[in-house]
Amino acid sequence: MDLSNWIDLLQWPAMAASLLAAWLVASNRKQRRNIGFWVFLGSNVLWTAWGWHDGAWALIALQVALAALNIRGVFKTEQPSSAEAGSTGQAQA
C-alpha cells in the first residue's frame, strides 16, 4: 500500500475523532469537555492532512477556523470558572 492510499484512509479516523470529540464536548463534566476539545484538535490535523492530499482547500480553511475555536475551548475549559473559584473559599475580585 503506497502513501497515497494511507492518506486516503485518514478520513476514517478523522471522522471517528470528530464524533468522539462532539460526544465529549457535550458532557456536563468540565474535564471531559476539555478532552473533547483536544480530540477535536487532533481531528483538525487529520482532516487537514487528508484535505491537503485531495486538494480540498475549503476543507482546510474550515479546519483552520475550527482549530482556532477549539483552542479557545481548551483555554476556557482549563481555567477555573468563577463559580468554581468561589466554591474553594477563595475571595473573588
Side-chain angles (χ1 to χ4, degrees), residues 19-37 40 77 84:
L19 288 174
L20 174 62
W23 183 78
L24 290 166
V25 167
S27 176
N28 289 328
R29 292 184 177 174
K30 192 172 187 176
Q31 183 179 9
R32 281 189 184 166
R33 288 192 310 270
N34 182 266
I35 292 167
F37 286 115
F40 263 136
T77 57
E84 289 173 349

Side-chain angles (χ1 to χ4, degrees), residues 9-70:
L9 293 176
L10 280 180
Q11 63 186 312
W12 295 107
M15 185 266 310
S18 297
L19 288 174
L20 174 62
W23 183 78
L24 290 166
V25 167
S27 176
N28 289 328
R29 292 184 177 174
K30 192 172 187 176
Q31 183 179 9
R32 281 189 184 166
R33 288 192 310 270
N34 182 266
I35 292 167
F37 286 115
W38 282 106
V39 174
F40 263 136
L41 285 168
S43 77
N44 295 140
V45 170
L46 292 172
W47 280 121
T48 300
W50 183 81
W52 189 275
H53 172 261
D54 273 25
W57 309 116
L59 177 67
I60 293 169
L62 174 64
Q63 295 309 310
V64 169
L66 291 174
L69 295 173
N70 291 326

